[in-house]
Amino acid sequence: MKIRKLFQKTQFGIFALFGLIVLSTSALTIYTVQTHLSTEYESNSRNIAKTIADASVDILLNRNLATLQSLIDQFVEIQGIRYVYITSDNGEYLAHTFVPGIPEAIRNSDPFETATVKRTLPGMGEFVEVGSPILAGFAGTVHVGMDLDVIGLKIQRAIGQQVYLISILLLVGVLGSIWFVNLAARPLGDLLAFAVKLARQEEPDGAQDERILARDDEAGELARLLLHVAQHKNAPDEPPPPAAKGAG
Amino acid sequence: MSTQSRNPGDKRVQQDAGARLTRRTVVRAGLAAILAPPWLHSLSPADAAAIRGIGPDGEIVLGVSAAFSGPSRGLGTELYRGAKSYFNHVNENGGVNGRKVDLKLYDDGYQPDPCVKNTVKLILEDQVFLLFGYVGTPTVTRVLPMLKKFQAQRVYLFFPFTGAQPQREPPYGDFAFNLRASYRQETAGLVNNFMRIGRQRIAMFYQADAYGRSGWAGVRAALARHGVEMVGEATYRRGSRFTGSFRAQVEILKKATPDAVICVGAYAACAGFARDAVDLGLRVPIANLSFVGSENLLNLLSQGQDDPDAYARYLVNSQVVPSYEDTSIPAVKEYRELMARYDPQVPAELVKEAYTPFPHSFVSLEGFLDAKLMVEILRRLKGKPDRTGLEEAVFSVRDFDLGIGEAVSFGPDRRQGLQKVYYTVVEDGRFVTLDDWKAKFG
């Protein structure tokens, strides 16, 4: 694709501008999606923990641990939730979903913690854990662990889709800009070729010359002016052809 | 405001009630009255329409959702075989008050969601008379709320193959009747015996679900009564196969240096654990609950072994029925005769994986006893198989002799028929009753 020297800087400017737009939009998207999804997942986890906590009160008071286990097992089927465990008011682990056992990191943690905690569990991965007290903590605490890998994967997928769209827009923009630049540069090329021909004192005769002379824009005006100058350089009294309306 | 019944049976009743009385209708009704079985004469049309679970030939249809596929298919198959042998015997001898007993079977693979779907189908589409012989705690605990939902229709669950507490206690205890002893009783018995012989450091290997938790809670409570705590615990995922590795669980428990391990699981995983425990040097008594399916467990542990007791010598299994080898027990003798006569097989359409049944097993004996008591209860309905009379019929069972030497009684505050727990160990490739814990494990 031939780009006139005159527009090379413009072309570079367009690339740079699009690149800047893509980078800044991607960065903003990554930040927004990551923040939004992380917040949403944490919020969902907290809601789930609260739901379990609310549903657990009677079950816990009746010491019906099989039903309690059945309850938490259903929540682990939700995508993103990797573990749920319930600690009693004295910190005992009453029900959990860990296989093959409760990780040491969990055993060594505060069983009453309800704030958001990031955990790395060997062999399992990285998690965001939230807690919710049962009966204001008098009956125990529910802990829900969300898999950061799953969240990360979802965030990557969301960002990937955004970047994919922006990249397509960039490609279309760049191709479009090249096409437009070439469209703008072609009359200048014709004009240059026409001027060179005049300078060589050759008669305008080709279709290319006809096309440039027939244009009603600045390139056509300039071509006709150059032709006039060339034809009448030995007859200076003859007035130049009238300028087109609006021509500068 | 009018309410529209979602029950197809109700719709039919409404349509019938609205039907015009023509000469043709009267003639048909007369013919039906002459040809109908005798028991129908005692029922008003409204009563007859209200009856659920009666098949086209007047048979009583019981709904079953159990594991006929997957790693625990042996449990559903054996339980069915035992129950079916007795139902076949009853049907061949005139049925219950002139009616045959039929089983409508569905496979849930020991998974809660299919079990719930099957139950909906059994209640709403098949309109079975009652639910019978369900297998497993995670499945039954998910079905119990549904029984509460349909409490107006008085759908009861009879004799599920689980010893968990939810179907024995409020809020769902009113919708189920149990025959077998509970896991709480089984685990308490195991713990008490271990404590008695000085094995105080008890660890647990259990299924990570409601069943495992039920057993865990039983062990924990029993240990608490002795003033001790569990020294370690490890879990496995439901559906794990014998071919899988349980070394991670064994390593966890080895660190706790237990004197005994109580397993609450199904046979495939418990056999895998026992194998890996012995291989890794954890050579302590390994106890299993009745649900495990003792013969299947032993079968897996004996396969390909020069010494068939190499892995099995550490086993001690609690049972909720007496030994099927003891033919001095009348019910056992009857069970063996009927199993030999009928040898029932699971219908071919439910068989997805090959399974070779045992001629006799603790699970099929339990199924047999379940069926025997079920028939007695249906008999007490006295020719009027109406769900509304079921509870009364059950409560009328007092000191009933099932033929195993333990009287069965039910009442409003007693929804479990049997209380006794038996203990067995492996000797010469078969389970025998354990009489002397001290001599075996002391």
Side-chain angles (χ1 to χ4, degrees):
Chain A
M1 200 172 283
K2 199 173 174 185
I3 299 169
R4 300 291 165 194
K5 284 182 183 174
L6 188 63
F7 288 108
Q8 275 179 352
K9 283 185 179 173
T10 310
Q11 192 74 43
F12 177 77
I14 291 169
F15 283 152
L17 188 64
F18 265 109
L20 187 69
I21 290 169
V22 167
L23 283 176
S24 56
T25 311
S26 296
L28 185 67
T29 303
I30 289 167
Y31 174 77
T32 309
V33 170
Q34 191 155 14
T35 309
H36 178 72
L37 279 182
S38 298
T39 310
E40 190 177 310
Y41 272 106
E42 191 184 317
S43 169
N44 284 349
S45 309
R46 201 164 281 288
N47 288 338
I48 288 167
K50 190 173 182 316
T51 303
I52 297 172
D54 292 344
S56 301
V57 176
D58 283 344
I59 301 171
L60 266 178
L61 293 178
N62 290 323
R63 313 303 290 170
N64 193 342
L65 298 183
T67 306
L68 190 65
Q69 183 72 44
S70 187
L71 175 75
I72 66 173
D73 284 347
Q74 291 174 57
F75 283 94
V76 177
E77 289 163 14
I78 297 172
Q79 196 184 28
I81 295 184
R82 272 293 298 279
Y83 65 81
V84 180
Y85 65 97
I86 296 179
T87 49
S88 70
D89 55 340
N90 57 15
E92 190 185 5
Y93 294 89
L94 292 178
H96 67 82
T97 59
F98 295 109
V99 173
I102 303 171
E104 279 303 310
I106 300 278
R107 283 197 183 279
N108 296 332
S109 65
D110 178 6
F112 311 109
E113 180 67 77
T114 55
T116 304
V117 183
K118 274 198 175 182
R119 289 194 192 286
T120 303
L121 302 178
M124 289 182 71
E126 294 198 334
F127 302 90
V128 170
E129 185 182 303
V130 295
S132 182
I134 305 168
L135 205 64
F138 288 102
T141 311
V142 175
H143 308 261
V144 173
M146 297 289 288
D147 193 338
L148 272 179
D149 292 341
V150 172
I151 298 172
L153 202 68
K154 279 189 168 281
I155 290 170
Q156 273 177 22
R157 194 174 298 157
I159 290 168
Q161 285 169 347
Q162 296 273 344
V163 170
Y164 179 68
L165 179 69
I166 291 170
S167 299
I168 289 174
L169 288 176
L170 171 70
L171 187 68
V172 169
V174 167
L175 290 175
S177 71
I178 289 171
W179 186 74
F180 278 120
V181 164
N182 276 331
L183 202 68
R186 201 169 68 180
L188 288 181
D190 291 349
L191 182 64
L192 180 63
F194 183 72
V196 168
K197 201 178 275 184
L198 290 179
R200 288 177 183 160
Q201 296 187 340
E202 294 171 8
E203 281 299 314
D205 51 359
Q208 189 182 353
D209 297 338
E210 290 297 321
R211 196 167 63 231
I212 189 70
L213 287 169
R215 293 184 71 94
D216 61 351
D217 54 12
E218 288 81 354
E221 290 285 338
L222 201 54
R224 286 192 289 277
L225 183 62
L226 288 173
L227 180 64
H228 174 80
V229 170
Q231 286 174 344
H232 300 283
K233 62 182 177 184
N234 295 325
D237 296 339
E238 193 172 327
K245 188 181 178 185
Chain B
M1 192 194 291
S2 67
T3 55
Q4 195 171 5
S5 171
R6 295 172 68 182
N7 188 325
D10 291 347
K11 198 175 171 185
R12 195 169 58 241
V13 173
Q14 288 162 10
Q15 286 170 347
D16 289 349
R20 282 166 51 189
L21 192 68
T22 62
R23 202 171 75 172
R24 200 172 170 185
T25 313
V26 172
V27 171
R28 272 185 180 176
L31 278 173
I34 294 163
L35 297 173
W39 55 267
L40 256 185
H41 291 285
S42 62
L43 300 177
S44 70
D47 284 343
I51 291 172
R52 304 268 193 275
I54 305 304
D57 299 321
E59 70 273 23
I60 300 171
V61 185
L62 315 184
V64 180
S65 176
F68 296 114
S69 65
S72 299
R73 63 190 181 281
L75 301 176
T77 304
E78 294 295 334
L79 194 76
Y80 166 77
R81 277 167 46 76
K84 187 67 177 163
S85 70
Y86 191 76
F87 286 135
N88 281 353
H89 166 67
V90 170
N91 289 342
E92 264 193 19
N93 289 280
V96 181
N97 301 324
R99 294 169 179 280
K100 290 189 174 178
V101 180
D102 196 14
L103 297 176
K104 180 74 184 173
L105 303 178
Y106 288 113
D107 172 36
D108 59 38
Y110 188 36
Q111 295 297 332
D113 286 344
C115 184
V116 169
K117 285 176 189 162
N118 292 345
T119 305
V120 170
K121 213 183 281 184
L122 286 167
I123 295 173
L124 294 181
E125 287 180 27
D126 303 318
Q127 300 203 357
V128 295
F129 189 61
L130 52 84
L131 305 174
F132 175 83
Y134 274 45
V135 171
T137 308
T139 43
V140 168
T141 48
R142 290 281 289 277
V143 163
L144 291 173
M146 196 173 294
L147 302 186
K148 191 170 173 67
K149 159 76 183 162
F150 288 103
Q151 61 183 323
Q153 295 184 31
R154 295 172 187 264
V155 180
Y156 293 104
L157 173 62
F158 277 82
F159 314 141
F161 185 61
T162 160
Q165 289 305 120
Q167 75 272 14
R168 288 171 165 79
E169 294 174 347
Y172 303 121
D174 289 348
F175 310 107
F177 295 99
N178 307 279
L179 178 59
R180 66 191 341 264
S182 67
Y183 293 146
R184 197 175 274 181
Q185 289 167 306
E186 287 190 65
T187 51
L190 287 167
V191 167
N192 293 343
N193 279 304
F194 281 132
M195 290 291 152
R196 196 165 47 79
I197 61 172
R199 291 187 178 269
Q200 302 225 332
R201 295 182 60 79
I202 306 294
M204 275 197 77
F205 168 73
Y206 61 97
Q207 191 165 285
D209 65 4
Y211 165 45
R213 187 59 56 196
S214 187
W216 180 89
V219 172
R220 173 173 163 268
L223 288 172
R225 286 193 287 275
H226 290 275
V228 292
E229 289 183 351
M230 210 177 290
V231 296
E233 60 174 81
T235 57
Y236 75 91
R237 224 169 281 290
R238 184 177 61 238
S240 297
R241 295 187 180 260
F242 177 66
T243 46
S245 172
F246 297 89
R247 287 175 169 252
Q249 285 87 344
V250 173
E251 292 295 350
I252 289 172
L253 296 191
K254 267 183 83 177
K255 284 180 193 160
T257 61
D259 294 330
V261 177
I262 296 178
C263 302
V264 182
Y267 59 84
C270 289
F273 173 78
R275 174 202 61 208
D276 289 350
V278 174
D279 285 347
L280 293 175
L282 183 62
R283 293 176 182 182
V284 295
I286 296 174
N288 291 279
L289 303 191
S290 57
F291 181 86
V292 79
S294 296
E295 294 74 19
N296 284 298
L297 177 84
L298 183 57
N299 192 34
L300 288 173
L301 287 174
S302 310
Q303 277 173 2
Q305 295 297 316
D306 294 333
D307 175 7
D309 290 353
Y311 292 124
R313 66 170 51 96
Y314 302 95
L315 298 180
V316 50
N317 288 15
S318 59
Q319 312 289 354
V320 292
V321 293
S323 171
Y324 51 83
E325 303 279 2
D326 189 351
T327 50
S328 68
I329 299 171
V332 170
K333 195 176 170 192
E334 186 185 18
Y335 153 77
R336 293 177 74 101
E337 280 172 13
L338 297 183
M339 284 295 281
R341 189 187 307 166
Y342 297 108
D343 189 23
Q345 302 297 323
V346 172
E349 65 268 21
L350 288 177
V351 178
K352 293 171 190 160
E353 297 165 82
Y355 174 79
T356 309
F358 297 95
H360 308 108
S361 67
F362 288 102
V363 179
S364 63
L365 175 56
E366 184 175 337
F368 175 86
L369 296 174
D370 289 343
K372 195 171 180 184
L373 185 57
M374 190 75 257
V375 165
E376 177 59 27
I377 290 165
L378 292 176
R379 198 167 275 147
R380 290 175 188 230
L381 288 172
K382 291 177 183 162
K384 191 181 176 187
D386 189 338
R387 283 179 188 162
T388 53
L390 257 176
E391 200 173 49
E392 193 185 336
V394 178
F395 293 157
S396 73
V397 176
R398 295 284 164 90
D399 296 325
F400 177 73
D401 182 13
L402 261 180
I404 57 169
E406 184 184 358
V408 176
S409 293
F410 282 94
D413 297 323
R414 188 186 173 99
R415 306 183 83 89
Q416 177 184 307
L418 297 172
Q419 314 297 328
K420 196 170 175 181
V421 179
Y422 309 80
Y423 303 96
T424 54
V425 290
V426 178
E427 277 179 15
D428 300 327
R430 65 193 184 104
F431 278 96
V432 296
T433 305
L434 173 62
D435 297 317
D436 190 346
W437 280 74
K438 191 85 179 166
K440 178 73 179 174
F441 296 119

